[in-house]
């Protein structure tokens, strides 16, 4: 398991725009807007091992593209609980 692996090092390529803003619709009809780099930091700080493993798999199979990353993150944020936890995490970071 690669839970401590720094995903940011994999994503520092000219083909990935970490500062792109995405909006994901939620399974309850709402929406959440986020930047890719914030979602990656959230995954790492919360030690979401399944998500880290999937990103590593994409990288190791040369499938880590902008489109694949966006699709993955939008799918991850589709869950209302995940999106809510992310928004709370974002707000706490803004206060600090």
């Amino acid at each position: 398991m690669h839970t401590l692996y720094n995903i940011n090092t994999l994503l520092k390529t000219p083909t990935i725009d970490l500062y792109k803003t995405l909006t994901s619709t939620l399974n309850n009809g709402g929406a959440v807007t986020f930047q890719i780099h914030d979602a990656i930091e959230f995954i790492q700080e919360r030690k979401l091992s399944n998500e880290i493993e999937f990103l590593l798999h994409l990288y190791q199979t040369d499938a880590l593209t902008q489109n694949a990353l966006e699709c993955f993150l939008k799918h991850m944020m589709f869950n209302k609980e995940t999106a809510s936890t992310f928004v709370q995490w974002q707000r706490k970071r803004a206060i600090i």
Side-chain angles (χ1 to χ4, degrees):
M1 189 173 296
H2 303 280
T3 57
L4 298 178
Y5 200 92
N6 187 351
I7 299 300
N8 286 324
T9 59
L10 304 179
L11 299 175
K12 289 187 179 176
T13 117
T15 60
I16 305 253
D17 180 4
L18 294 176
Y19 293 94
K20 184 171 182 180
T21 301
L22 305 175
T23 300
S24 178
T25 56
L26 307 179
N27 57 355
N28 71 345
V32 63
T33 299
F34 58 94
Q35 285 190 327
I36 291 173
H37 73 92
D38 286 337
I40 298 300
E41 284 183 37
F42 172 73
I43 289 169
Q44 289 201 172
E45 284 186 23
R46 304 290 280 187
K47 295 179 177 59
L48 303 178
S49 58
N50 289 340
E51 286 77 1
I52 292 170
E53 288 292 326
F54 184 73
L55 289 170
L56 286 172
H57 170 74
L58 288 177
Y59 175 76
Q60 291 167 347
T61 59
D62 291 327
L64 186 57
T65 64
Q66 183 78 33
N67 191 44
L69 184 58
E70 289 178 24
C71 183
F72 165 70
L73 293 174
K74 286 181 179 182
H75 178 73
M76 183 184 94
M77 293 295 182
F78 178 73
N79 181 290
K80 181 181 103 173
E81 288 77 27
T82 302
S84 176
T85 303
F86 173 77
V87 170
Q88 290 172 10
W89 172 83
Q90 250 186 338
R91 287 179 183 154
K92 285 179 186 175
R93 268 188 14 167
I95 293 171
I96 296 176

